[in-house]
Amino acid sequence: MLSIQDLNVYYGSIHALKGVSLEVNEGEIVTLIGANGAGKSTLLKTLSGLLKPKEGTIHYQDSVISGKPAQSIVKLGVSQVPEGRRVFADMTVEENIELGAYLRKDKEEIGKDFKKVYSIFPRLYERRKQTAGTLSGGEQQMLAMGRAIMARPKLLLLDEPSMGLAPLMVKTIFETVKDISKAGTTILLVEQNAHIALSIADRGYVIETGRVILSGTAAELQASEEVKNAYLGGH
């Protein structure tokens, strides 16, 4: 579904991604793990069209999307839940969710997807008239995910969904990620919490200072001494 070949991305003179290659097959949950500043979020921003690569290609289904504008990438079925959630604080929960369907014209189907989002996240339904800024961090994460679902993505890019959340809420969010995957959405997950990411992923890639240094099935990465020592607290 997604194939990235030899991607090089710069922030000014800083070489943020150095020849990154990876692939995601339809129906998989693939996770990218690595320390802060390794290049994980840069990769997602490049996939979303928010950053332009200097070299390399990104194939999504039958299209080359590297360098395309963000809105045309969303139209193709790629949605991102950004790091830090980025909800519109002064708008209601309902208005935030509705924005996810901004490019869609199929009113009846949009109505169905609203019901779907509220069935996945009943708490959002309870808070639908509240402004998003009054929600807890976990509720804002639910809202950011609900908003992304409204675009009917075939590929969902999740950037650090557990960041800043209480352990119980992290569990809830990751159970939901599994449910979204089971319902037919392919997921590329960027996550600092390697433990929980590998517990739900099919495969993973380890990124260090802009390079992929390891890849394998989730089980292989969980068993790797290198991954254990660097990302799983040595156990």
Side-chain angles (χ1 to χ4, degrees), residues 74-143:
V74 173
K75 267 186 184 157
L76 289 169
V78 181
S79 270
Q80 181 168 356
V81 179
E83 184 183 356
R85 306 180 261 282
R86 304 282 173 89
V87 298
F88 296 94
D90 298 335
M91 294 168 79
T92 65
V93 165
E94 200 147 78
E95 288 165 339
N96 267 275
I97 295 170
E98 199 173 355
L99 273 174
Y102 183 74
L103 292 173
R104 292 173 56 185
K105 304 283 182 279
D106 48 344
K107 278 212 163 59
E108 202 172 302
E109 293 297 311
I110 289 171
K112 283 183 192 167
D113 284 348
F114 251 111
K115 285 184 181 145
K116 179 177 161 185
V117 168
Y118 286 145
S119 72
I120 297 170
F121 300 114
R123 205 176 296 194
L124 294 183
Y125 182 72
E126 290 162 19
R127 306 210 183 337
R128 65 192 182 281
K129 300 297 180 201
Q130 275 180 233
T131 55
T134 63
L135 301 180
S136 71
E139 289 162 351
Q140 287 188 11
Q141 185 63 49
M142 290 174 183
L143 180 54

Side-chain angles (χ1 to χ4, degrees), residues 44-52 65 67-70 73:
L44 289 198
K45 283 180 184 153
T46 310
L47 293 177
S48 298
L50 299 172
L51 290 173
K52 302 259 181 288
I65 60 167
K68 278 195 171 186
I73 293 174

Side-chain angles (χ1 to χ4, degrees), residues 1 6 21 71 78 102 112 130 148 157 166 168 180-181 194 222:
M1 184 181 238
D6 204 23
S21 298
Q71 65 273 25
V78 181
Y102 183 74
K112 283 183 192 167
Q130 275 180 233
L157 309 175
L168 202 62
I180 293 168
S181 164
Q222 278 170 319

